[in-house]
Amino acid sequence: MRTSAPARRPLAVGVGGAAWVLVALYFLAEVVTARAWLRPYRVRTNSISNLGVTGCDGSAATRLYSPLHAVINSAFVLTGVLILVGAVCLRGFLQPGLLRRLALALFGVAAVSAALTGVIPIDVDAHLHQIVATPTFVARNAAMLVVAVGLYKRWRVFALWTGLCGLVGILGTAAILLPGAPFGITERLALYPFIVWVVTAGFSALRARAWETSPETP
């Protein structure tokens, strides 16, 4: 028996797809901010949060002062907003039920956590920054696994891609805990797969919308 596709509104899909594609701007923000550092920024050892350091009073944290901290901190907030907008608008790709609700909840946690990371830079309050930043490491990768399960019967190839991104993110998160592991690398292995996946999901949603609204579509 063929599974019917869940109801989707073309306008919502267009907005959600575009929002998720725009998440790619995060990579540009990180590169621009890193290049503006007063000392060489080393991806291997420097954390992403170092790019958001706002002060320069000579303390241990603020010695990593980032001249373009406003760029990356704004990118954290914008990324959170775009994740949430996309998740809400594209929820129709998942069948109504527990998996959809769970996915939306996880996307919500990931989005709020990402945004708060930009609102509370590490040099302002290192402890609170860690508290608000940690949930996104878990939520965004868990969300991909939930979506992979929800899409598997109808869009198997994309579901496998989603699951692969989630698995890499989980392994990266686990690698952060390994003694001697380069934090800059493991942090990115934990966070980047989700950003890459979100962008590809956005493009896929826009393609699906274009196909479904085409006059030639039967």
Side-chain angles (χ1 to χ4, degrees), residues 178-198:
L178 295 176
F183 184 78
I185 298 296
T186 56
E187 181 185 32
R188 287 169 170 81
L189 284 175
L191 298 177
Y192 279 9
F194 177 79
I195 300 176
V196 172
W197 175 80
V198 159

Side-chain angles (χ1 to χ4, degrees), residues 114-176:
L116 289 177
T117 299
V119 174
I120 309 171
I122 192 169
D123 64 302
V124 172
D125 190 326
H127 181 64
L128 185 56
H129 177 85
Q130 185 175 10
I131 290 175
V132 300
T134 299
T136 198
F137 285 83
V138 178
R140 62 176 58 192
N141 294 314
M144 287 189 287
L145 296 184
V146 172
V147 171
V149 173
L151 295 181
Y152 187 73
K153 289 184 178 180
R154 290 175 290 113
W155 292 294
R156 185 162 299 180
V157 174
F158 192 78
L160 291 173
W161 162 246
T162 304
L164 175 62
C165 289
L167 180 59
V168 173
I170 289 173
L171 292 175
T173 302
I176 292 175

